[in-house]
Amino acid sequence: MGSGSYEGVLLGMGNPLLDISAVVDEAFLAKYDIKPGNAILAEEKHLPMYNELASKANVEYIAGGSTQNSIRVAQWMLQIPGATSYMGCIGKDKFGEEMKKDAQAAGAHYYEDDNAPTGTCAVCIVGGERSLVANLSAANCYRSEHLKRPENWALVEKSKYIYIAGFFLTVSPDSIQLVAEHAAATNKVFMMNLSAPFICEFFRDAQEKALPYADYIFGNETEARTFAKVRGWETENTEEIALKISQLPKASGAHKRITVITQGCDPVVVADDGKVKTFPVILLPKEKLVDTNGAGDAFVGGFLSQLVQEKSIDECVRAACYAANVIIQRSGCTYPEKPDFN
């Protein structure tokens, strides 16, 4: 493919959030009843936390949101202008403007809500490990009407690969369904992420409806185990779970499903066509770790950057590990000007 034919090849839809990231301590986590390594939606009790984080000397504001991170990393890895596009909802405010600046290169087409502020995600870092608490606000206002507008549906038509993190299941399952059915009908590649234990537990019905369409399913070991537990699979073995996920029913027979599960510093598990392969990750000395925020998203972004070029799964995983390794050495989902991947 010439670079022209990559135009809009990859489309993402999700919750655009501005990360409010700061280093905190165990007492802070205990105060707001949050666990390291977890990702949850904000409740009433969490709301004062955003101001407390914002008042910390080391606070940083970084464009975030799981799918948006993955799309931005894929665009960065590809270095082909206009290869990606992204849809989600922001507010008409300072944070929204900030987001537009940051996500311009990734081809963001935002729906702007008049009443709700731009969504934020509290990123609480303890010992390099992140805990996420998302206050969706405007991100929660995305509606399939926006998707159906001709200029937006054109992005769906143009794309060949579509990626949506599981977090979007809490916002607009009907948008996911529209895009998933389009992908199945046109033999495009549709991909999802398990995203968080709470999605697997509390949004199981919406997840069950979307997953038959997924040609690729990404997740980490904690999410995979929760997914298995909810279904009574009686196993904690990541390889077995990946295999079982890959063999769940599929809406369209055009592509077989491939499941990709990350396990932190342990090997990546890939289940494909009834077989499991593992791939070691690039190990990083502890002192080089800044934070794990965005690592899983960057992994997916790196993977997608090669997949859209029709590279082998081995190459996709190699790029995924490279991208994740870059991101964990920086604050949030940020990267140098150009990748050093070959």
Side-chain angles (χ1 to χ4, degrees), residues 299-329:
F299 178 93
V300 173
F303 191 101
L304 299 180
S305 73
Q306 305 307 299
L307 189 67
V308 303
Q309 300 180 70
E310 298 172 12
K311 299 279 178 66
S312 70
I313 294 294
D314 295 38
E315 274 302 282
C316 293
V317 174
R318 194 169 73 84
C321 291
Y322 164 79
N325 186 263
V326 168
I327 296 310
I328 60 178
Q329 296 182 63

Side-chain angles (χ1 to χ4, degrees), residues 15 17-18 20 28 32-35 38-51 53 117-124 131-140 167 170-171 196 198-199 202-203:
N15 303 333
L17 305 174
L18 192 71
I20 303 173
F28 185 94
Y32 291 107
D33 189 24
I34 52 182
K35 296 184 188 73
N38 204 4
I40 59 171
L41 291 176
E43 297 167 42
E44 207 54 49
K45 65 181 178 191
H46 299 121
L47 298 180
M49 179 170 68
Y50 295 85
N51 282 337
L53 276 178
T118 296
T120 48
C121 183
V123 181
C124 311
S131 186
L132 308 176
V133 186
N135 184 8
L136 298 183
S137 296
N140 206 25
F167 292 119
T170 76
V171 172
F198 85 86
I199 298 287
F202 306 116
F203 291 87

Side-chain angles (χ1 to χ4, degrees), residues 31-92:
K31 175 178 175 182
Y32 291 107
D33 189 24
I34 52 182
K35 296 184 188 73
N38 204 4
I40 59 171
L41 291 176
E43 297 167 42
E44 207 54 49
K45 65 181 178 191
H46 299 121
L47 298 180
M49 179 170 68
Y50 295 85
N51 282 337
E52 189 173 339
L53 276 178
S55 68
K56 294 202 173 285
N58 65 15
V59 70
E60 290 183 86
Y61 295 87
I62 308 158
S66 183
T67 305
Q68 182 164 259
N69 285 343
S70 296
I71 298 298
R72 288 174 64 218
V73 169
Q75 176 62 56
W76 170 70
M77 288 283 288
L78 278 161
Q79 293 287 313
I80 301 167
T84 63
S85 49
Y86 171 81
M87 286 187 261
C89 183
I90 59 175
K92 294 184 169 166

Side-chain angles (χ1 to χ4, degrees), residues 118-172:
T118 296
T120 48
C121 183
V123 181
C124 311
I125 314 242
V126 178
E129 181 71 76
R130 57 91 180 128
S131 186
L132 308 176
V133 186
N135 184 8
L136 298 183
S137 296
N140 206 25
C141 300
Y142 192 86
R143 294 294 171 265
S144 55
E145 288 77 59
H146 177 256
L147 173 64
K148 289 176 186 160
R149 285 185 201 158
E151 69 274 22
N152 295 323
W153 191 254
L155 301 172
V156 179
E157 295 275 355
K158 192 162 35 172
S159 69
K160 296 187 177 74
Y161 296 81
I162 299 165
Y163 172 70
I164 303 178
F167 292 119
F168 202 53
L169 287 165
T170 76
V171 172
S172 188

